[in-house]
Amino acid sequence: GWKRKEVIRIPVSGPGSGKGTQCAKIVQHFGYTHLSAGDLLREEIKSGSENGTMIQNMIKEGKLVPSELTVKLLQRAMNESGNDKFLIDGFPRNEENRVAFESIGIVPEFVLFFDCSEEEMERRLLSRNQGREDDNIETIKKRFKVFMESLPVIEYYNSKEKVRKIDAGKPVEEVFEAVKAVFTSSYD
Ligand code: UP5
Ligand code: MG
């Protein structure tokens, strides 16, 4: 179940902006459990679940899978982790996601927004070479379009003064310096 003491920080940002890369570094420094919604969905495909084919098709099209499914996977991973500090990477991505997340009691402490140009994100995704089925120019363009649905979510958290915007167009280590400053300054 959901406990009030749990501390949640969420990076919501564009495809290829560096969420996964920075989360790995945050984990090393600050001991969070990193849960990437995209990774959980890709694991669900691999596990041969009944939803696998549907998820695979949606990812190939850059579309968002139904909120209940992603929320269920995140909630299960949180329960299984045994940790009480989470980085929820790449979720919520639209207003419906956010409302579904809040309905199970999840309210982030702050939200990281990795600000990066489409040009740079596209360059990174095309040179990632990790065999992701959505790292082709056609799907990348669709992912950029769908990312526009995340802007109202960022706007919502911004109205709650929860957004920490990071210039993510710089080299990995420089971006992490800015990330560290956010984590250190809001440490409790
Ligand atoms: N790289 C990273 N930082 C760099 C830097 N500062 N300078 C130079 N290079 C840098 O980085 C991407 C690449 O860039 C890597 O090669 C890295 O080395 C390099 P990464 O850290 O992986 O970026 P990230 O933001 O994590 O990119 P990712 O592609 O994972 O973002 P997406 O948001 O597109 O992917 P995600 O896995 O979250 O979602 C995939 C799909 O799943 C979605 O399109 C959607 O279909 C589905 N989905 C849902 O339906 N619902 C959800 O809630 C979540 C996902
Ligand atoms: Mg990622």
Side-chain angles (χ1 to χ4, degrees):
W2 175 250
K3 287 167 262 121
R4 265 195 168 278
K5 68 177 168 68
E6 285 166 344
V7 176
I8 318 285
R9 286 133 200 237
I10 298 188
V12 194
S13 314
S17 58
K19 299 182 292 296
T21 302
Q22 294 297 324
C23 282
K25 298 178 77 66
I26 295 165
V27 166
Q28 286 177 353
H29 277 73
F30 299 101
Y32 283 72
T33 292
H34 172 209
L35 299 176
S36 154
D39 288 349
L40 290 171
L41 290 166
R42 283 182 288 273
E43 279 165 27
E44 194 69 1
I45 297 171
K46 276 199 214 133
S47 78
S49 112
E50 52 176 350
N51 293 313
T53 310
M54 180 268 285
I55 297 171
Q56 189 167 25
N57 290 333
M58 298 201 82
I59 288 182
K60 252 189 237 164
E61 290 301 313
K63 290 182 184 157
L64 302 181
V65 310
S67 301
E68 322 91 88
L69 179 53
T70 321
V71 167
K72 196 185 75 185
L73 295 175
L74 285 167
Q75 198 169 25
R76 186 171 72 193
M78 288 172 83
N79 288 338
E80 285 171 357
S81 75
N83 201 347
D84 59 2
K85 293 161 70 182
F86 300 97
L87 287 166
I88 312 287
D89 162 355
F91 190 88
R93 291 168 106 99
N94 63 15
E95 280 288 284
E96 193 209 333
N97 281 175
R98 180 183 66 74
V99 171
F101 217 23
E102 282 186 359
S103 75
I104 62 160
I106 297 188
V107 178
E109 192 181 36
F110 63 71
V111 173
L112 290 170
F113 172 50
F114 294 129
D115 190 25
C116 195
S117 69
E118 279 195 6
E119 214 177 13
E120 173 66 11
M121 295 192 286
E122 182 182 307
R123 206 175 53 73
R124 292 178 187 178
L125 293 174
L126 288 175
S127 56
R128 174 155 52 185
N129 281 326
Q130 282 179 1
R132 271 187 45 177
E133 276 187 289
D134 55 350
D135 282 348
N136 58 79
I137 190 63
E138 205 185 316
T139 309
I140 289 169
K141 295 286 181 210
K142 291 178 181 166
R143 288 157 72 192
F144 286 155
K145 243 191 215 141
V146 171
F147 175 59
M148 295 300 124
E149 292 181 40
S150 295
L151 301 182
V153 176
I154 296 165
E155 203 33 65
Y156 170 85
Y157 287 125
N158 197 34
S159 75
K160 307 262 175 206
E161 299 186 341
K162 288 189 171 177
V163 175
R164 307 289 182 269
K165 186 169 155 184
I166 307 271
D167 178 358
K170 297 177 183 164
V172 173
E173 290 306 325
E174 281 179 45
V175 176
F176 188 57
E177 284 308 309
V179 169
K180 257 198 320 213
V182 167
F183 275 76
T184 309
S185 71
S186 62
Y187 231 68
D188 27 36

